[in-house]
Amino acid sequence: MNFLHTEYDSEPDESLEKSMSLVASAISDPSRVSILCALMDGRAWTATELSAVAGIAASTTSGHLTRLLSNGLVICLTQGRHRYYSLAGHHIAGLLENLMGVSMRSHRAFTPGTPVVLRYARTCYDHLAGELAVKIYDFMLTEQWIESDGNALTSAGKAHFQHIGAVLDPRPRRKPCCACLDWSERRFHLGGDAGQALMALLLQKEWITRTPGYREVSVTDSGRIALSRLFSLNLS
């Protein structure tokens, strides 16, 4: 599998303001937003699949993907004769998650409009989000698995992660742990390398399953038992 190298629209000597406006412009189209949101499941999609989820013609999808590629929002990987598109990284997923939160703000009392299945459990690129993830994060804070600012696991937290089998990267190229604002719950869930490690464990143990083509996550019967035991949750 090879990366398709792309060039950014902006020149190196252009201002930060101009670069920001180019990225904002690339996100401004509803069809491109649909494509980016689909890629938030952390997997690679073909242009045909993205065309279907965005409800647009294949030729139109190609133009949108070119725009997203040129602004560094997505990457393209080639495998044989096929091309697969994915988000350019967890930093882009974070940008989209924050944008979702800002877009849902209102002066009125907050009432979630997200479908129930997505509100409960979904992927946030490579970690778990939704009501379930927020409850797990609250447990970790209460039990002092993570620092109060959410930026690091405590010694106890690292020990517990090792005990349950969540493998942490000893030299992560990203934040080892972070508080990621959940756009449907308006509270924090676990992000960073620790969030990815927990998600990988839940999938490996088949405590959760992913719905192909969607961000929705379902908790299995064995998962309900395990998560209730590990994080003192009532998942009956």
Side-chain angles (χ1 to χ4, degrees):
M1 184 176 287
N2 301 311
F3 284 98
L4 178 68
H5 297 288
T6 59
E7 295 182 358
Y8 288 85
D9 285 338
S10 56
E11 296 295 329
D13 59 348
E14 286 188 311
S15 67
L16 175 61
E17 291 84 354
K18 179 62 178 298
S19 298
M20 290 173 65
S21 69
L22 289 172
V23 172
S25 178
I27 300 176
S28 65
D29 184 90
S31 294
R32 289 197 288 273
V33 170
S34 295
I35 290 171
L36 291 170
C37 286
L39 296 176
M40 280 286 286
D41 71 350
R43 290 175 284 193
W45 293 54
T46 66
T48 301
E49 292 169 335
L50 292 171
S51 174
V53 76
I56 54 178
S59 57
T60 306
T61 302
S62 177
H64 285 315
L65 287 170
T66 297
R67 181 74 175 274
L68 295 173
L69 278 165
S70 65
N71 284 279
L73 295 170
V74 302
I75 56 174
C76 179
L77 305 97
T78 59
Q79 187 169 14
R81 294 179 296 174
H82 302 286
R83 289 186 175 185
Y84 298 90
Y85 297 86
S86 61
L87 292 184
H90 57 84
H91 59 297
I92 303 299
L95 171 65
L96 295 171
E97 194 78 6
N98 288 334
L99 183 59
M100 290 173 188
V102 171
S103 300
M104 291 181 68
R105 284 182 183 172
S106 172
H107 295 296
R108 298 171 297 176
F110 172 64
T111 302
T114 314
V116 174
V117 290
L118 282 179
R119 261 204 332 266
Y120 182 68
R122 64 179 182 275
T123 57
C124 178
Y125 191 52
D126 62 358
H127 58 269
L128 188 67
E131 179 186 343
L132 176 60
V134 168
K135 288 180 177 179
I136 292 174
Y137 184 84
D138 287 345
F139 169 86
M140 291 183 175
L141 270 180
T142 301
E143 297 299 315
Q144 298 183 341
W145 288 26
I146 50 181
E147 300 289 352
S148 58
D149 61 4
N151 288 329
L153 290 175
T154 62
S155 298
K158 292 177 181 177
H160 281 295
F161 262 59
Q162 183 176 13
H163 175 70
I164 65 177
V167 181
L168 298 167
D169 188 339
R171 295 182 179 179
R173 294 187 296 174
R174 58 194 292 189
K175 289 183 178 180
C177 180
C178 70
C180 184
L181 183 62
D182 195 286
W183 62 267
S184 63
E185 295 299 308
R186 300 300 182 87
R187 294 159 63 196
F188 294 110
H189 61 246
L190 184 66
D193 179 62
Q196 187 276 330
L198 179 62
M199 178 74 167
L201 173 70
L202 299 181
L203 289 169
Q204 178 189 352
K205 295 286 189 180
E206 297 185 348
W207 292 341
I208 63 172
T209 58
R210 305 175 71 166
T211 302
Y214 298 91
R215 295 177 64 188
E216 176 188 340
V217 167
S218 300
V219 181
T220 63
D221 291 338
S222 61
R224 277 190 285 274
I225 295 172
L227 295 177
S228 296
R229 173 175 53 83
L230 292 174
F231 305 115
S232 299
L233 303 177
N234 181 9
L235 302 181
S236 58

